[in-house]
Amino acid sequence: MRAAAWVERCRRLAGCRVGEGRALFWSFCGFFLLLAGYYVLRPVREEMGVVIGPENLQWAFSLTLGGMLAIVPLYGWAAARLSRHGLLLTVFGCTTMVLAAFQAWIAGAVSLPAALALFVWISVFNLVVVSLFWTVMADSFEHGQARRLFGMIAAGGSTGALIGPTITALSVHAVGVDGLLLVAAALILSSLLCVLRVSDRKAHGSTGQPVGGSVLAGLAEVVGSPYLAMIALLAIVQSVVGTFVYFEQARLVKAAALTAESRTQLFAMLDLGVNLLALALQALVAGRLMQRLGLGITLAVVPLLLTLPLAALAALPALATVLCIQVIARAGGHGLLRPAREALFTAVDREPRYKAKNVIDTLLSRAGDALGGWLYAIAGLATTGVALAAIPGVLTLAWLGLQLGSRYRRLVSAPIGDGGTGRPAGDSPTAG
């Protein structure tokens, strides 16, 4: 009896219903391993940034955008020809092979070209594989399931984001910086095995067939759909605001004249605080908030919360205030904005789910990063000016979130033939 009661309590906490446990478990594990692999690599990317030099990072951001411009057509070509399983095997397999090639390149010493290439690759691959993961989730769960379960699935990623840096800290002296690339590759391959368990061909009859369409169909879908265009604008504005705060943090940390060890400790503590708060939001808040108040409120709450610390930063510029803003923005972004934004894609058809979503999550997000970096560099604003410039940005994010929530409700409630997506709006456990 006690065991049954414990299982039922855990099921209620996760928002899981009968028949959904297997899919939720493998989804959680897949995202856990994927982000653990990325967070093993994240300190490697920061080390490559040191080799490149902070004065040149805007160029690294621009090259990352260039990498996205090269990758998106290749991804579109693959998505048009491969089944869902084939696309997963191709993307995850290529990622691990490239990491193995980089390990051979930087073993022994890191040249500037190698550092720049690895910085760009890690920045590109992270968005591509995470976008594909969430695309498969949106393809495997129905509307109601997404609102209940995506927060818990995202919590798997935040748990991995806590374990990944721990693996790096404990193993870097034993395996070296280059060896960490192989550790990450092993974790990513393990993630693939879990995602394939969720990506069951029996869940949807179309998953064994290629998505179809043209190589650049994703861009055409975004341009041709007001709903997708609004999601794209949300992603761009979020990236621009985030880049402004990121650059201001770097400037104030440098001005604080801390030692290298103190800076490393500060960033580690910041990451730890962000990931712990994000995990709590994903596991305990996101699903309940999306169910009870809807996606629009869930998307708007974090931008609205940011207005107060941004106003405080404008009135009293200080590093501590910027760090507070970073914790709210990043933890809220991972814990609430991301699960809600992924749930938006359950209201669109299969081709835009694979293609337009990838364009938004990769190319347009990195375009927002590059745009934010150059705007920051050109404007040359002091801390007060940066804060005042960011406030209209977060208010725009809140407005976009509310508008998207309203459009989402109309899409999922519209019957087939009346502008609906043709996907059931109910909670049937089709994902396992």
Side-chain angles (χ1 to χ4, degrees), residues 31 34-35 38 91-92 124-137 338 342 357-358 361-362:
F31 204 33
L34 180 58
L35 282 205
Y38 169 65
V91 172
F92 278 70
V124 169
F125 113 84
N126 170 50
L127 292 186
V128 172
V129 296
V130 170
S131 175
L132 179 56
F133 171 86
W134 280 112
T135 299
V136 172
M137 295 301 103
R338 187 72 193 232
E342 300 308 333
K357 183 182 184 308
N358 182 263
D361 287 347
T362 59

Side-chain angles (χ1 to χ4, degrees), residues 46 72 108 121 136 144 202 238 263 281 339 374 397 417:
E46 300 308 318
V72 165
W121 170 254
V136 172
K202 296 180 181 178
Q238 186 179 355
R263 287 196 300 269
L281 289 172
W374 284 107
L397 283 174

Side-chain angles (χ1 to χ4, degrees), residues 41-78:
L41 292 174
R42 186 181 172 94
V44 177
R45 189 189 70 169
E46 300 308 318
E47 173 60 22
M48 297 304 104
V50 172
V51 175
I52 296 166
E55 68 279 1
N56 297 318
L57 278 179
Q58 69 268 28
W59 294 103
F61 274 67
S62 297
L63 285 173
T64 299
L65 175 58
M68 287 297 180
L69 288 170
I71 288 293
V72 165
L74 289 175
Y75 180 93
W77 180 88

